[in-house]
Amino acid sequence: MAGSEKRFSIGYALAPKKQQSFIQLSLINLAKERGIDLIKIDADKRLIDQGPFDCVLHKLYGDDWKNQLKEFSVENPNALIMDSPEAIERLHNRISMLQVVSELKIGAEREATFGIPKQIVIYDAKTLLDPCSWEGLKFPVIAKPLVADGSAKSHKMSLVFNRDGVSKLKPPIVLQEFVNHGGVIFKVYVAGEYVQCVKRKSLPDVTEDKLESLEGSLTFSQVSNLTANEKSDDKYYKMMHLEDAEMPPQSLINEISKGLREAMNLHLFNFDVIRDSSVGNQYLIIDINYFPGYAKMPQYETILTNFFWDILHKKDSIIDDDLTNEGNKSDDSGKISTRRRSFDDGSRKCVTNIVSEDGDGS
């Protein structure tokens, strides 16, 4: 790197567990080689008193933190906030989380289709026990807490086989119709324009015959009980040959990833996809998670460093262009007026858990 090349600073504000998994020395060193300094934000001090930062990378919640980000943005209009709290909060509700899928404008001239499973939200016990509220929803269903904020409580999910298992549920919850998908889930990691799809173990299929013999409900930690002839998940998954599962069409995954990124105005997320076993070319998005466990990906350091480099240099280029185009005009307060213009694919402004079985909501 040339000595005269500009260096960038990214301040990161992450919960201890996320910081431990994501901020590895290997990431810090690689970013430094590319001219990017990753600097820890001190949660005990006001954000506005720290920096300067070209970008704030964060996964903290609460009104105080939101106010600090707003205050920082006013004083540092050219700094990127990755991502905006308002955009992230959409993913904290499992109904609004998946509503965004219906907003996607993706060409229909393809064999594979996508959507979301049938689901309803239950806010109180009376509605939960009312058969009329379940119209159109078939057992088994997956019961998920309505709030998806990464807390231990939001991870607690159940597979409910019949009405006997309903009484154990605690609203508010989302009931999502379970779709047989061959015991395979596809996790798609997105970091800006970078997209990676990987296969993971998932809940085994539930046949009609098996459904009749099952009682009540099972938490996900008890899913191995579904495989009556096998004593462990490992045996079940070896039997089903996870490595032989066909990946979704990459073109479809890329289009969905881009569509979600633009519709949500988020740059760091993953989403979970299953293939409907009864259809074959129908893919269902079942969860979306903000700032997932990227460190689980091979060479995540390179992927994230490239992402940081791209957004920082695009931002810097836009600011330089604005200053040139506006002739360094001053506003009423005498400060240089710069517009925050679009970037990231030339169309989106960078102001920027599924809480799933394998815990990518970290």
Side-chain angles (χ1 to χ4, degrees):
M1 185 179 70
S4 59
E5 186 171 338
K6 178 179 177 179
R7 297 194 68 82
F8 295 93
S9 61
I10 296 180
Y12 61 87
L14 306 171
K17 184 180 178 182
K18 170 62 76 174
Q19 181 178 312
Q20 185 178 14
S21 64
F22 184 75
I23 305 295
Q24 303 284 337
L25 187 60
S26 53
L27 175 65
I28 293 173
N29 289 339
L30 184 59
K32 187 174 294 186
E33 290 177 11
R34 297 288 300 276
I36 302 168
D37 298 315
L38 296 176
I39 302 168
K40 180 180 177 180
I41 291 172
D42 189 340
D44 294 327
K45 299 179 181 178
R46 290 201 316 161
L47 177 59
I48 200 171
D49 295 331
Q50 302 180 64
F53 302 122
D54 296 287
C55 175
V56 173
L57 180 72
H58 70 103
K59 193 177 182 182
L60 297 179
Y61 307 122
D63 291 339
D64 179 66
W65 177 245
K66 285 172 62 176
N67 291 333
Q68 288 201 54
L69 286 173
K70 288 179 183 178
E71 184 182 30
F72 180 85
S73 293
V74 170
E75 291 298 318
N76 301 274
N78 294 325
L80 304 178
I81 304 299
M82 186 71 64
D83 286 300
S84 80
E86 290 76 17
I88 296 170
E89 283 173 1
R90 183 173 192 171
L91 300 186
H92 290 175
N93 179 299
R94 285 198 166 90
I95 293 296
S96 63
M97 172 196 292
L98 295 185
Q99 283 175 340
V100 70
V101 177
S102 63
E103 301 173 17
L104 302 189
K105 308 297 182 184
I106 295 178
E109 64 283 351
R110 58 169 67 254
E111 293 183 8
T113 58
F114 73 96
I116 63 173
K118 292 180 182 178
Q119 61 180 23
I120 59 174
V121 60
I122 302 291
Y123 291 101
D124 56 69
K126 182 179 179 181
T127 306
L128 179 66
L129 299 176
D130 180 5
C132 295
S133 65
W134 289 65
E135 264 187 71
L137 209 61
K138 297 189 304 181
F139 286 102
V141 297
I142 296 179
K144 307 178 178 183
L146 177 61
V147 175
D149 59 1
S151 65
K153 183 179 179 181
S154 70
H155 285 257
K156 293 182 178 179
M157 305 182 193
S158 299
L159 187 56
V160 184
F161 305 113
N162 50 48
R163 293 201 174 275
D164 291 338
V166 172
S167 59
K168 298 179 182 178
L169 303 177
K170 295 182 179 180
I173 54 171
V174 172
L175 301 177
Q176 193 176 83
E177 197 168 283
F178 179 77
V179 176
N180 285 333
H181 53 283
V184 180
I185 193 169
F186 303 99
K187 302 188 77 65
V188 182
Y189 293 88
V190 179
E193 297 177 25
Y194 179 86
V195 177
Q196 182 177 125
C197 180
V198 299
K199 291 180 283 191
R200 295 277 175 84
K201 302 172 184 178
S202 184
L203 302 176
D205 290 349
V206 181
T207 63
E208 290 289 342
D209 292 341
K210 186 181 291 183
L211 184 60
E212 293 179 3
S213 65
L214 294 168
E215 298 181 359
S217 64
L218 292 173
T219 64
F220 281 8
S221 62
Q222 297 171 308
V223 163
S224 57
N225 294 350
L226 290 174
T227 55
N229 296 326
E230 297 291 341
K231 291 187 177 180
S232 72
D233 287 354
D234 287 342
K235 287 183 180 180
Y236 170 79
Y237 289 119
K238 286 178 182 177
M239 182 177 66
M240 63 176 236
H241 302 298
L242 177 64
E243 67 278 4
D244 295 334
E246 181 184 356
M247 296 290 281
Q250 189 61 47
S251 60
L252 177 66
I253 292 300
N254 288 341
E255 283 191 70
I256 293 174
S257 300
K258 181 180 179 181
L260 287 175
R261 190 177 74 239
E262 295 182 352
M264 299 187 302
N265 200 19
L266 293 174
H267 294 71
L268 297 170
F269 62 93
N270 77 345
F271 58 97
D272 287 8
V273 181
I274 58 174
R275 181 190 291 115
D276 188 339
S277 297
S278 66
V279 180
N281 64 346
Q282 168 77 8
Y283 293 90
L284 301 174
I285 299 171
I286 60 173
D287 250 323
I288 307 173
N289 174 51
Y290 182 67
F291 204 149
Y294 288 110
K296 298 176 183 178
M297 296 192 305
Q299 299 182 320
Y300 94 99
E301 301 94 338
T302 300
I303 295 164
L304 270 297
T305 297
N306 288 342
F307 166 67
F308 294 149
W309 194 95
D310 286 343
I311 61 166
L312 289 167
H313 281 78
K314 285 178 181 177
K315 184 267 298 186
D316 212 38
S317 175
I318 288 168
I319 292 173
D320 288 344
D321 288 346
D322 278 346
L323 289 172
T324 300
N325 293 337
E326 295 186 12
N328 289 349
K329 290 188 295 184
S330 296
D331 61 19
D332 293 338
S333 63
K335 294 181 179 179
I336 297 296
S337 174
T338 61
R339 289 169 296 152
R340 292 198 185 196
R341 287 175 33 198
S342 300
F343 70 100
D344 186 29
D345 280 336
S347 63
R348 283 290 160 188
K349 178 174 64 176
C350 184
V351 185
T352 55
N353 214 342
I354 92 190
V355 177
S356 68
E357 294 90 60
D358 68 350
D360 266 346
S362 62

PDB file of all heavy atoms in Angstrom, residues 1 19 50 66 83 88 96 109 120 125 168 172 190 196 211 237 278 285 289 299 306 333 349 360:
ATOM      1  N   MET A   1       0.850  -1.197   0.000  1.00  0.00           N
ATOM      2  CA  MET A   1       0.000   0.000   0.000  1.00  0.00           C
ATOM      3  C   MET A   1       0.882   1.242   0.000  1.00  0.00           C
ATOM      4  O   MET A   1       1.831   1.357   0.761  1.00  0.00           O
ATOM      5  CB  MET A   1      -0.897  -0.002   1.241  1.00  0.00           C
ATOM      6  CG  MET A   1      -1.893   1.130   1.257  1.00  0.00           C
ATOM      7  SD  MET A   1      -2.957   1.069   2.746  1.00  0.00           S
ATOM      8  CE  MET A   1      -1.752   1.521   4.002  1.00  0.00           C
ATOM      9  N   GLN A  19     -18.536  -9.443  19.628  1.00  0.00           N
ATOM     10  CA  GLN A  19     -17.176  -8.918  19.465  1.00  0.00           C
ATOM     11  C   GLN A  19     -16.148 -10.038  19.503  1.00  0.00           C
ATOM     12  O   GLN A  19     -15.213 -10.073  18.696  1.00  0.00           O
ATOM     13  CB  GLN A  19     -16.885  -7.904  20.574  1.00  0.00           C
ATOM     14  CG  GLN A  19     -15.501  -7.285  20.490  1.00  0.00           C
ATOM     15  CD  GLN A  19     -15.291  -6.248  21.583  1.00  0.00           C
ATOM     16  OE1 GLN A  19     -16.130  -5.380  21.793  1.00  0.00           O
ATOM     17  NE2 GLN A  19     -14.182  -6.344  22.294  1.00  0.00           N
ATOM     18  N   GLN A  50     -15.954  10.262  20.677  1.00  0.00           N
ATOM     19  CA  GLN A  50     -14.964   9.305  20.191  1.00  0.00           C
ATOM     20  C   GLN A  50     -14.776   9.482  18.684  1.00  0.00           C
ATOM     21  O   GLN A  50     -15.535  10.123  18.005  1.00  0.00           O
ATOM     22  CB  GLN A  50     -15.399   7.883  20.527  1.00  0.00           C
ATOM     23  CG  GLN A  50     -15.608   7.662  22.022  1.00  0.00           C
ATOM     24  CD  GLN A  50     -16.032   6.242  22.350  1.00  0.00           C
ATOM     25  OE1 GLN A  50     -15.297   5.278  22.130  1.00  0.00           O
ATOM     26  NE2 GLN A  50     -17.243   6.100  22.888  1.00  0.00           N
ATOM     27  N   LYS A  66     -29.637   4.519  19.996  1.00  0.00           N
ATOM     28  CA  LYS A  66     -30.201   5.158  18.807  1.00  0.00           C
ATOM     29  C   LYS A  66     -29.982   6.667  18.856  1.00  0.00           C
ATOM     30  O   LYS A  66     -29.623   7.285  17.845  1.00  0.00           O
ATOM     31  CB  LYS A  66     -31.704   4.850  18.707  1.00  0.00           C
ATOM     32  CG  LYS A  66     -32.026   3.441  18.245  1.00  0.00           C
ATOM     33  CD  LYS A  66     -33.506   3.153  18.351  1.00  0.00           C
ATOM     34  CE  LYS A  66     -34.329   4.055  17.476  1.00  0.00           C
ATOM     35  NZ  LYS A  66     -35.769   3.705  17.508  1.00  0.00           N
ATOM     36  N   ASP A  83     -25.688  -0.555  10.219  1.00  0.00           N
ATOM     37  CA  ASP A  83     -26.750  -0.042   9.386  1.00  0.00           C
ATOM     38  C   ASP A  83     -27.664   0.810  10.264  1.00  0.00           C
ATOM     39  O   ASP A  83     -27.461   0.883  11.475  1.00  0.00           O
ATOM     40  CB  ASP A  83     -27.548  -1.194   8.790  1.00  0.00           C
ATOM     41  CG  ASP A  83     -26.818  -1.928   7.659  1.00  0.00           C
ATOM     42  OD1 ASP A  83     -26.510  -1.258   6.662  1.00  0.00           O
ATOM     43  OD2 ASP A  83     -26.552  -3.132   7.775  1.00  0.00           O
ATOM     44  N   ILE A  88     -32.800  -1.975  10.885  1.00  0.00           N
ATOM     45  CA  ILE A  88     -32.516  -3.217  11.623  1.00  0.00           C
ATOM     46  C   ILE A  88     -33.741  -3.673  12.401  1.00  0.00           C
ATOM     47  O   ILE A  88     -34.041  -4.870  12.465  1.00  0.00           O
ATOM     48  CB  ILE A  88     -31.326  -3.005  12.582  1.00  0.00           C
ATOM     49  CG1 ILE A  88     -30.044  -2.712  11.795  1.00  0.00           C
ATOM     50  CG2 ILE A  88     -31.118  -4.242  13.462  1.00  0.00           C
ATOM     51  CD1 ILE A  88     -28.883  -2.256  12.668  1.00  0.00           C
ATOM     52  N   SER A  96     -43.081  -8.535  10.291  1.00  0.00           N
ATOM     53  CA  SER A  96     -42.529  -7.506   9.399  1.00  0.00           C
ATOM     54  C   SER A  96     -41.260  -8.001   8.720  1.00  0.00           C
ATOM     55  O   SER A  96     -40.933  -7.579   7.610  1.00  0.00           O
ATOM     56  CB  SER A  96     -42.249  -6.222  10.186  1.00  0.00           C
ATOM     57  OG  SER A  96     -41.268  -6.430  11.194  1.00  0.00           O
ATOM     58  N   GLU A 109     -39.545 -14.856 -15.177  1.00  0.00           N
ATOM     59  CA  GLU A 109     -39.189 -15.746 -16.275  1.00  0.00           C
ATOM     60  C   GLU A 109     -38.148 -16.775 -15.834  1.00  0.00           C
ATOM     61  O   GLU A 109     -37.065 -16.883 -16.371  1.00  0.00           O
ATOM     62  CB  GLU A 109     -38.678 -14.935 -17.479  1.00  0.00           C
ATOM     63  CG  GLU A 109     -37.388 -14.141 -17.248  1.00  0.00           C
ATOM     64  CD  GLU A 109     -37.598 -12.872 -16.444  1.00  0.00           C
ATOM     65  OE1 GLU A 109     -38.751 -12.493 -16.202  1.00  0.00           O
ATOM     66  OE2 GLU A 109     -36.587 -12.275 -16.051  1.00  0.00           O
ATOM     67  N   ILE A 120     -49.325 -17.071  10.739  1.00  0.00           N
ATOM     68  CA  ILE A 120     -50.212 -16.128  11.411  1.00  0.00           C
ATOM     69  C   ILE A 120     -49.536 -15.682  12.701  1.00  0.00           C
ATOM     70  O   ILE A 120     -48.640 -16.368  13.214  1.00  0.00           O
ATOM     71  CB  ILE A 120     -51.590 -16.744  11.741  1.00  0.00           C
ATOM     72  CG1 ILE A 120     -51.422 -17.976  12.653  1.00  0.00           C
ATOM     73  CG2 ILE A 120     -52.350 -17.098  10.477  1.00  0.00           C
ATOM     74  CD1 ILE A 120     -52.747 -18.552  13.141  1.00  0.00           C
ATOM     75  N   ALA A 125     -53.775 -15.476  24.624  1.00  0.00           N
ATOM     76  CA  ALA A 125     -54.145 -16.877  24.855  1.00  0.00           C
ATOM     77  C   ALA A 125     -55.531 -17.198  24.315  1.00  0.00           C
ATOM     78  O   ALA A 125     -55.781 -18.305  23.814  1.00  0.00           O
ATOM     79  CB  ALA A 125     -54.072 -17.184  26.345  1.00  0.00           C
ATOM     80  N   LYS A 168     -49.429 -25.183  25.459  1.00  0.00           N
ATOM     81  CA  LYS A 168     -48.136 -24.901  26.097  1.00  0.00           C
ATOM     82  C   LYS A 168     -47.493 -23.620  25.569  1.00  0.00           C
ATOM     83  O   LYS A 168     -46.518 -23.132  26.143  1.00  0.00           O
ATOM     84  CB  LYS A 168     -47.175 -26.069  25.859  1.00  0.00           C
ATOM     85  CG  LYS A 168     -47.635 -27.398  26.456  1.00  0.00           C
ATOM     86  CD  LYS A 168     -46.633 -28.488  26.141  1.00  0.00           C
ATOM     87  CE  LYS A 168     -47.078 -29.838  26.685  1.00  0.00           C
ATOM     88  NZ  LYS A 168     -46.106 -30.910  26.339  1.00  0.00           N
ATOM     89  N   PRO A 172     -46.998 -13.354  22.815  1.00  0.00           N
ATOM     90  CA  PRO A 172     -47.233 -13.312  21.365  1.00  0.00           C
ATOM     91  C   PRO A 172     -46.262 -14.234  20.608  1.00  0.00           C
ATOM     92  O   PRO A 172     -45.068 -14.256  20.908  1.00  0.00           O
ATOM     93  CB  PRO A 172     -46.980 -11.847  21.015  1.00  0.00           C
ATOM     94  CG  PRO A 172     -46.007 -11.382  22.055  1.00  0.00           C
ATOM     95  CD  PRO A 172     -46.351 -12.126  23.306  1.00  0.00           C
ATOM     96  N   VAL A 190     -25.020 -12.449   3.309  1.00  0.00           N
ATOM     97  CA  VAL A 190     -24.885 -11.279   2.443  1.00  0.00           C
ATOM     98  C   VAL A 190     -24.031 -10.240   3.146  1.00  0.00           C
ATOM     99  O   VAL A 190     -24.267  -9.912   4.308  1.00  0.00           O
ATOM    100  CB  VAL A 190     -26.268 -10.680   2.107  1.00  0.00           C
ATOM    101  CG1 VAL A 190     -26.119  -9.449   1.220  1.00  0.00           C
ATOM    102  CG2 VAL A 190     -27.157 -11.726   1.445  1.00  0.00           C
ATOM    103  N   GLN A 196     -22.985 -15.642  -0.269  1.00  0.00           N
ATOM    104  CA  GLN A 196     -22.535 -17.032  -0.142  1.00  0.00           C
ATOM    105  C   GLN A 196     -23.669 -17.881   0.426  1.00  0.00           C
ATOM    106  O   GLN A 196     -24.266 -17.530   1.447  1.00  0.00           O
ATOM    107  CB  GLN A 196     -21.307 -17.126   0.767  1.00  0.00           C
ATOM    108  CG  GLN A 196     -20.768 -18.549   0.880  1.00  0.00           C
ATOM    109  CD  GLN A 196     -19.501 -18.647   1.711  1.00  0.00           C
ATOM    110  OE1 GLN A 196     -19.429 -19.406   2.668  1.00  0.00           O
ATOM    111  NE2 GLN A 196     -18.501 -17.862   1.358  1.00  0.00           N
ATOM    112  N   LEU A 211     -47.063 -38.102  11.699  1.00  0.00           N
ATOM    113  CA  LEU A 211     -47.792 -37.038  12.378  1.00  0.00           C
ATOM    114  C   LEU A 211     -48.897 -37.609  13.259  1.00  0.00           C
ATOM    115  O   LEU A 211     -49.144 -37.111  14.366  1.00  0.00           O
ATOM    116  CB  LEU A 211     -48.382 -36.072  11.348  1.00  0.00           C
ATOM    117  CG  LEU A 211     -49.106 -34.832  11.887  1.00  0.00           C
ATOM    118  CD1 LEU A 211     -48.159 -33.979  12.718  1.00  0.00           C
ATOM    119  CD2 LEU A 211     -49.679 -34.011  10.733  1.00  0.00           C
ATOM    120  N   TYR A 237     -28.740 -37.615   9.891  1.00  0.00           N
ATOM    121  CA  TYR A 237     -28.233 -36.756   8.838  1.00  0.00           C
ATOM    122  C   TYR A 237     -27.257 -37.484   7.914  1.00  0.00           C
ATOM    123  O   TYR A 237     -27.173 -37.175   6.725  1.00  0.00           O
ATOM    124  CB  TYR A 237     -27.585 -35.512   9.452  1.00  0.00           C
ATOM    125  CG  TYR A 237     -28.597 -34.585  10.054  1.00  0.00           C
ATOM    126  CD1 TYR A 237     -28.584 -34.262  11.406  1.00  0.00           C
ATOM    127  CD2 TYR A 237     -29.622 -34.054   9.277  1.00  0.00           C
ATOM    128  CE1 TYR A 237     -29.540 -33.431  11.960  1.00  0.00           C
ATOM    129  CE2 TYR A 237     -30.589 -33.212   9.823  1.00  0.00           C
ATOM    130  CZ  TYR A 237     -30.539 -32.910  11.155  1.00  0.00           C
ATOM    131  OH  TYR A 237     -31.491 -32.098  11.701  1.00  0.00           O
ATOM    132  N   SER A 278     -42.407 -31.158  -1.675  1.00  0.00           N
ATOM    133  CA  SER A 278     -43.563 -31.583  -2.466  1.00  0.00           C
ATOM    134  C   SER A 278     -43.610 -30.930  -3.841  1.00  0.00           C
ATOM    135  O   SER A 278     -44.351 -31.370  -4.716  1.00  0.00           O
ATOM    136  CB  SER A 278     -44.860 -31.264  -1.713  1.00  0.00           C
ATOM    137  OG  SER A 278     -45.027 -29.855  -1.586  1.00  0.00           O
ATOM    138  N   ILE A 285     -38.480 -18.591   2.002  1.00  0.00           N
ATOM    139  CA  ILE A 285     -37.636 -17.860   2.952  1.00  0.00           C
ATOM    140  C   ILE A 285     -38.336 -17.924   4.307  1.00  0.00           C
ATOM    141  O   ILE A 285     -39.491 -17.515   4.429  1.00  0.00           O
ATOM    142  CB  ILE A 285     -37.433 -16.410   2.504  1.00  0.00           C
ATOM    143  CG1 ILE A 285     -36.723 -16.382   1.138  1.00  0.00           C
ATOM    144  CG2 ILE A 285     -36.625 -15.628   3.539  1.00  0.00           C
ATOM    145  CD1 ILE A 285     -36.658 -15.010   0.507  1.00  0.00           C
ATOM    146  N   ASN A 289     -31.888 -12.624   9.415  1.00  0.00           N
ATOM    147  CA  ASN A 289     -31.141 -12.264  10.624  1.00  0.00           C
ATOM    148  C   ASN A 289     -30.136 -11.164  10.317  1.00  0.00           C
ATOM    149  O   ASN A 289     -29.402 -11.240   9.320  1.00  0.00           O
ATOM    150  CB  ASN A 289     -30.405 -13.510  11.145  1.00  0.00           C
ATOM    151  CG  ASN A 289     -29.492 -13.194  12.306  1.00  0.00           C
ATOM    152  OD1 ASN A 289     -29.885 -12.569  13.272  1.00  0.00           O
ATOM    153  ND2 ASN A 289     -28.247 -13.630  12.194  1.00  0.00           N
ATOM    154  N   GLN A 299     -12.693 -18.024   5.199  1.00  0.00           N
ATOM    155  CA  GLN A 299     -12.085 -16.783   4.711  1.00  0.00           C
ATOM    156  C   GLN A 299     -12.994 -15.562   4.924  1.00  0.00           C
ATOM    157  O   GLN A 299     -13.044 -14.647   4.114  1.00  0.00           O
ATOM    158  CB  GLN A 299     -11.732 -16.909   3.212  1.00  0.00           C
ATOM    159  CG  GLN A 299     -10.724 -18.010   2.931  1.00  0.00           C
ATOM    160  CD  GLN A 299     -10.343 -18.089   1.474  1.00  0.00           C
ATOM    161  OE1 GLN A 299     -11.190 -17.937   0.591  1.00  0.00           O
ATOM    162  NE2 GLN A 299      -9.074 -18.330   1.198  1.00  0.00           N
ATOM    163  N   ASN A 306     -12.924  -6.920   2.127  1.00  0.00           N
ATOM    164  CA  ASN A 306     -13.274  -6.424   0.793  1.00  0.00           C
ATOM    165  C   ASN A 306     -14.537  -5.577   0.840  1.00  0.00           C
ATOM    166  O   ASN A 306     -14.641  -4.533   0.173  1.00  0.00           O
ATOM    167  CB  ASN A 306     -13.483  -7.597  -0.175  1.00  0.00           C
ATOM    168  CG  ASN A 306     -12.177  -8.275  -0.555  1.00  0.00           C
ATOM    169  OD1 ASN A 306     -11.101  -7.706  -0.389  1.00  0.00           O
ATOM    170  ND2 ASN A 306     -12.272  -9.493  -1.062  1.00  0.00           N
ATOM    171  N   SER A 333     -24.524  28.123   7.899  1.00  0.00           N
ATOM    172  CA  SER A 333     -23.675  28.068   9.080  1.00  0.00           C
ATOM    173  C   SER A 333     -22.208  28.150   8.725  1.00  0.00           C
ATOM    174  O   SER A 333     -21.349  28.082   9.579  1.00  0.00           O
ATOM    175  CB  SER A 333     -23.938  26.759   9.839  1.00  0.00           C
ATOM    176  OG  SER A 333     -23.575  25.652   9.033  1.00  0.00           O
ATOM    177  N   LYS A 349     -28.432   4.097  -0.657  1.00  0.00           N
ATOM    178  CA  LYS A 349     -27.659   4.871   0.315  1.00  0.00           C
ATOM    179  C   LYS A 349     -27.161   3.943   1.406  1.00  0.00           C
ATOM    180  O   LYS A 349     -27.889   3.121   1.911  1.00  0.00           O
ATOM    181  CB  LYS A 349     -28.574   5.946   0.911  1.00  0.00           C
ATOM    182  CG  LYS A 349     -27.919   6.789   1.976  1.00  0.00           C
ATOM    183  CD  LYS A 349     -28.832   7.900   2.400  1.00  0.00           C
ATOM    184  CE  LYS A 349     -30.080   7.413   3.055  1.00  0.00           C
ATOM    185  NZ  LYS A 349     -30.926   8.513   3.546  1.00  0.00           N
ATOM    186  N   ASP A 360     -27.346 -18.678  14.350  1.00  0.00           N
ATOM    187  CA  ASP A 360     -26.689 -17.605  13.626  1.00  0.00           C
ATOM    188  C   ASP A 360     -27.182 -16.238  14.022  1.00  0.00           C
ATOM    189  O   ASP A 360     -26.814 -15.248  13.430  1.00  0.00           O
ATOM    190  CB  ASP A 360     -26.870 -17.794  12.121  1.00  0.00           C
ATOM    191  CG  ASP A 360     -25.715 -18.526  11.490  1.00  0.00           C
ATOM    192  OD1 ASP A 360     -24.681 -18.633  12.170  1.00  0.00           O
ATOM    193  OD2 ASP A 360     -25.824 -18.986  10.362  1.00  0.00           O
TER     194      ASP A 360
END
